[in-house]
Amino acid sequence: MTSTIDSVDVFVLTNPEARYRTSAHYDELQITNTVVRINAGDTFGVGGAISWTEGGVDTALGKAIEHVGSVLIGQNAMNRERLHGLMSNRCASMLPLSLAPLDIALWDLAGKNFNVPLYQLLGGHRDTIPAYASTPFFDTIEEYLTMVAQYVDEGYRAIKFHTWCYPDKDLELVNAVAEKFGGLDITWMLDVEGRYNRHDALRVGRRLQELGYTWFEAPLPDSDLEGYRWLRSKLDIEIIPAGNELVTLGLIQTGLSLGSWDHARVDATLAGGITGTRHIMSAARAHSMNVELQSWGYTLSQAANLHLMLAFPNCRYFEQAMPRKPMEFAALDPIRIDSAGDVRASGKPGLGVDLDWDLIEEHALVKYTLT
């Protein structure tokens, strides 16, 4: 099957209401959605990536894609591995992030050409996966307790906290949660954005271990591979990185070989798209390890990661950024949990995400077409 790429459309937009905090160390973050549409004959594929910035919208990613996407024009869209290699070797900025939405769009296009959902094209291990509510940062413990009760009422059976990222305050929170909700059958995780030193990570990790938390996320900076290995030797709780710094196969393989983590963590929109991430997931599987994928972003980003989760056996949870609605901007079919607290991909071909293109055109701060 041939499918020659005619053009690539790029749109940079944001939902003004998509403003989040994930730590007391950050100001409010504006979440930018960079959307690409690869056109090949009468078929098109879409992909997206988020970027988060303090103080304004990020247009840099959208502009960087121009220097990567130009190599696709006139190419056969079905040669995804070859095209991933071509894009990876461009002399361009922000790689592999700037190629990720393009690669995702190529996979979406392939799914549409073969008329199958993307997870089935990738392998089709399952069709549902449990979701966890990924909290924003709140100012008070009382707010956290109120929202935990709301998430449980909505049907979530797993919750991950984004917190102050100050050890004493974070411990105060997990103790308060244990006191109020300790009798519930809920899976708990804590993410501290790589903000602790080794001593504090050990102190907090021991308490999380006592409370039965499933994992301790980003206790140290991702690059501190020796620190992670040291921490693992002291704790039984699962330790995973943030997944934002080490996003290429070679760097992930180094962490796997050193035994730095219990499981790896990346996001398809950071790690070179579907192609780059499936290589990482295969490498982790060879080490009998999971890749606990992020899916914190707009619906397009969520869907790309969800299809990988469903295609491969070595991922346990879908991450649902809370509140949900701001991240559903311009998506006609957002991803939501069912009554069992699970999510499933659409049965439609490719990513299965339909977009309001009129709304995207209206809100695009940057838009251009490569031909």
Side-chain angles (χ1 to χ4, degrees):
M1 178 185 295
T2 60
S3 187
T4 303
I5 297 171
D6 304 311
S7 61
V8 177
D9 302 315
V10 180
F11 307 87
V12 178
L13 65 153
T14 188
N15 178 2
E17 296 179 2
R19 296 178 179 274
Y20 291 77
R21 291 184 72 195
T22 58
S23 165
H25 295 264
Y26 304 134
D27 291 331
E28 193 173 56
L29 304 177
Q30 178 69 58
I31 314 302
T32 302
N33 194 16
T34 300
V35 177
V36 303
R37 182 173 61 198
I38 295 178
N39 305 294
D42 58 359
T43 310
F44 68 87
V46 297
I50 71 160
S51 44
W52 49 96
T53 45
E54 296 175 275
V57 176
D58 171 40
T59 59
L61 175 58
K63 294 176 181 177
I65 288 171
E66 178 178 3
H67 304 289
V68 182
S70 58
V71 76
L72 298 179
I73 306 304
Q75 299 282 347
N76 182 349
M78 294 298 98
N79 296 333
R80 295 177 298 281
E81 194 71 36
R82 177 176 179 273
L83 296 180
H84 189 273
L86 286 175
M87 291 189 289
S88 296
N89 287 287
R90 297 290 287 173
C91 188
S93 64
M94 300 182 72
L95 291 170
L97 175 62
S98 57
L99 75 82
L102 295 162
D103 180 82
I104 293 166
L106 289 171
W107 280 95
D108 180 50
L109 193 153
K112 291 172 178 174
N113 277 337
F114 289 109
N115 197 34
V116 294
L118 182 52
Y119 75 93
Q120 293 180 344
L121 186 63
L122 288 165
H125 175 71
R126 56 192 159 189
D127 57 14
T128 64
I129 189 170
Y132 65 84
S134 187
T135 78
F137 167 67
F138 296 110
D139 290 317
T140 68
I141 288 176
E142 289 71 24
E143 288 174 282
Y144 279 102
L145 298 179
T146 297
M147 294 311 299
V148 166
Q150 179 177 314
Y151 300 152
V152 171
D153 286 345
E154 290 175 4
Y156 289 96
R157 295 296 173 260
I159 297 172
K160 187 181 79 176
F161 297 108
H162 290 98
T163 64
W164 295 266
C165 302
Y166 294 118
D168 290 340
K169 193 69 175 176
D170 297 344
L171 284 171
E172 187 179 349
L173 171 64
V174 299
N175 287 330
V177 169
E179 182 177 352
K180 184 164 185 177
F181 300 103
L184 299 181
D185 184 18
I186 300 293
T187 296
W188 308 104
M189 305 95 151
L190 179 68
D191 179 355
V192 296
E193 302 283 345
R195 290 289 179 171
Y196 288 178
N197 59 37
R198 297 186 189 187
H199 170 77
D200 289 333
L202 179 60
R203 181 163 63 97
V204 174
R206 283 174 172 159
R207 181 56 178 151
L208 298 180
Q209 188 171 286
E210 292 171 355
L211 294 172
Y213 272 55
T214 291
W215 75 56
F216 188 12
E217 183 174 332
L220 304 170
D222 280 2
S223 56
D224 187 6
L225 296 178
E226 287 295 337
Y228 271 98
R229 184 164 65 169
W230 173 84
L231 188 62
R232 281 192 68 213
S233 74
K234 305 291 184 181
L235 295 172
D236 292 328
I237 187 174
E238 294 177 14
I239 306 292
I240 67 172
N244 297 326
E245 294 179 48
L246 308 184
V247 295
T248 60
L249 178 61
L251 291 173
I252 294 292
Q253 285 178 320
T254 300
L256 298 177
S257 298
L258 288 173
S260 298
W261 322 298
D262 286 277
H263 303 291
R265 183 165 174 82
V266 293
D267 185 303
T269 65
L270 298 175
I274 300 292
T275 302
T277 306
R278 72 174 186 150
H279 292 165
I280 291 168
M281 295 189 78
S282 294
R285 193 177 178 189
H287 285 77
S288 300
M289 291 170 62
N290 290 344
V291 180
E292 297 299 347
L293 291 170
Q294 300 179 33
S295 46
W296 198 97
Y298 287 99
T299 301
L300 272 180
S301 300
Q302 294 175 20
N305 286 289
L306 175 58
H307 280 279
L308 284 160
M309 295 170 186
L310 298 178
F312 284 79
N314 57 329
C315 183
R316 288 172 292 178
Y317 293 99
F318 173 84
E319 179 176 22
Q320 185 118 62
M322 306 300 281
R324 294 178 302 262
K325 193 170 180 58
M327 293 294 197
E328 297 170 352
F329 187 70
L332 300 178
D333 39 14
I335 299 167
R336 293 288 185 93
I337 61 170
D338 61 18
S339 58
D342 298 338
V343 296
R344 66 180 66 239
S346 165
K348 292 181 290 188
L351 289 174
V353 176
D354 292 323
L355 299 172
D356 184 337
W357 290 105
D358 290 337
L359 190 64
I360 289 174
E361 290 274 0
E362 177 186 348
H363 282 81
L365 302 171
V366 174
K367 56 182 176 180
Y368 60 87
T369 299
L370 300 173
T371 57

